[in-house]
Amino acid sequence: MNLKEQINRDSLPRHIAMIMDGNGRWAQKKGGERLFGHRNGVESVRQVVEAAGELGVEFLTLYAFSTENWKRPRTEIDGLMTLLTSTIANETRKLNENNVRLLVIGNLADLPKSVQKHLMNSVNFLSGNTGLTLVLALSYSGRWEITEAVKRMCQDARSGKLDPDSIDACLVESYLATSFMPDPELLIRTSGERRISNFLLWQLAYTELYFTPVLWPDYRKEHFYEAIIDYQRRERRFGKVDEKRAITLNN
Ligand code: FPP
């Protein structure tokens, strides 16, 4: 049986988050510039978006540019921004054919105006689609997001819109950039690093973590299927006791 057929469609993760890592090392291994790695990473993005859409995953969040990435050399940042703009311009029609909706989270005001414009055009163009929601995290970090949420909560408390006594986890969530979607059930990180790197810090509280040594530009649909199969073999208990086991233990 091939990998795709081994996936149980009835227990798919609704939301998969991905840290696309290893573009630089991939390029270095081939004797190229880091941007060569990023450019080749676009095909991997295509593959996971297609695979997630075909399977019926509802949300796919890709960590495309972190707050920390602004510290990279200017040429790499500029190259990544150009790549982002051209990829969005080239792929929007195909995304539309595949019924994909696009959303962006992060401090978008930091991005060059032209990138913001391209992104917003595509987001609007794809807004009526009802298949996979592709979420690009751009100029994003978990600490940035939580800090912004705290700031807005304080502003609302000051203006009387929010009663501090009413603050609970649900209310905090409603102030996060991700309030429109469920927390990810599965996080995949490529390139052998085993860190969260300031990604979705609040949302990953109960997420299954999957690390693979594959460098991002080598990542293909089969790798994505493998991660989902691994996830489906795990038991998810959210800190509770497994009900079946609890019954056995009580009897
Ligand atoms: C991490 O590899 C990757 C990035 C910072 C950028 C990811 C961008 C893309 C895959 C290109 C286009 C994306 C979209 C959504 C159109 P790294 O440079 O940190 O690799 P290294 O750890 O080997 O140095």
Side-chain angles (χ1 to χ4, degrees):
M1 200 169 25
N2 70 31
L3 284 171
K4 193 175 180 183
E5 286 165 6
Q6 288 176 45
I7 295 174
N8 177 358
R9 306 294 178 104
D10 297 328
S11 63
L12 275 178
R14 291 183 65 196
H15 179 187
I16 301 180
M18 302 193 78
I19 302 181
M20 312 180 285
D21 197 11
N23 294 351
R25 276 163 283 167
W26 186 91
Q28 197 178 24
K29 282 208 315 198
K30 309 247 169 204
E33 298 281 323
R34 299 179 56 79
L35 267 172
F36 176 59
H38 297 317
R39 282 193 201 106
N40 279 276
V42 174
E43 176 54 29
S44 312
V45 173
R46 264 187 219 114
Q47 296 251 333
V48 292
V49 171
E50 238 179 70
E54 284 166 5
L55 285 172
V57 172
E58 289 173 60
F59 299 92
L60 178 71
T61 302
L62 302 180
Y63 206 4
F65 195 88
S66 72
T67 308
E68 290 76 20
N69 286 156
W70 290 114
K71 295 186 197 126
R72 294 198 174 189
R74 193 72 241 169
T75 47
E76 186 178 350
I77 295 175
D78 290 347
L80 269 169
M81 292 298 144
T82 308
L83 183 62
L84 200 63
T85 317
S86 62
T87 306
I88 286 162
N90 296 335
E91 302 292 327
T92 298
R93 193 190 307 178
K94 178 93 185 292
L95 291 173
N96 193 43
E97 280 166 18
N98 291 334
N99 198 18
V100 176
R101 179 167 77 125
L102 177 69
L103 293 173
V104 188
I105 56 170
N107 196 3
L108 302 187
D110 280 353
L111 300 171
K113 286 276 176 299
S114 65
V115 179
Q116 291 183 37
K117 211 178 104 206
H118 272 89
L119 277 169
M120 284 313 120
N121 285 345
S122 294
V123 166
N124 291 333
F125 185 70
L126 301 170
S127 63
N129 288 339
T130 54
L132 172 75
T133 298
L134 170 63
V135 182
L136 294 184
L138 287 167
S139 194
Y140 172 89
S141 75
R143 287 185 179 176
W144 165 81
E145 178 188 37
I146 293 169
T147 308
E148 285 302 305
V150 171
K151 217 186 279 173
R152 282 192 293 114
M153 277 192 279
C154 291
Q155 283 161 355
D156 285 351
R158 196 167 48 194
S159 67
K161 259 208 297 192
L162 170 67
D163 171 8
D165 287 333
S166 74
I167 297 175
D168 57 11
C170 230
L171 189 115
V172 175
E173 262 163 25
S174 74
Y175 278 81
L176 298 177
T178 54
S179 60
F180 59 89
M181 60 180 168
D183 289 343
E185 292 94 337
L186 173 63
L187 169 83
I188 302 172
R189 181 172 188 153
T190 59
S191 91
E193 304 294 343
R194 292 165 180 251
R195 288 188 297 278
I196 301 301
S197 297
N198 214 348
F199 191 38
L200 301 174
L201 292 181
W202 173 283
Q203 299 84 341
L204 293 177
Y206 291 104
T207 304
E208 297 292 336
L209 308 179
Y210 181 90
F211 301 105
T212 169
V214 177
L215 302 176
W216 182 251
D218 290 328
Y219 203 80
R220 293 294 173 266
K221 286 184 179 181
E222 283 64 31
H223 301 117
F224 190 70
Y225 299 149
E226 271 168 9
I228 296 177
I229 293 165
D230 185 272
Y231 158 83
Q232 291 187 330
R233 288 199 189 112
R234 302 185 198 183
E235 202 186 355
R236 303 195 76 226
R237 290 193 277 129
F238 302 95
K240 294 180 286 189
V241 175
D242 180 310
E243 273 173 38
K244 271 189 244 137
R245 257 185 62 212
I247 292 165
T248 322
L249 291 174
N250 287 337
N251 290 336

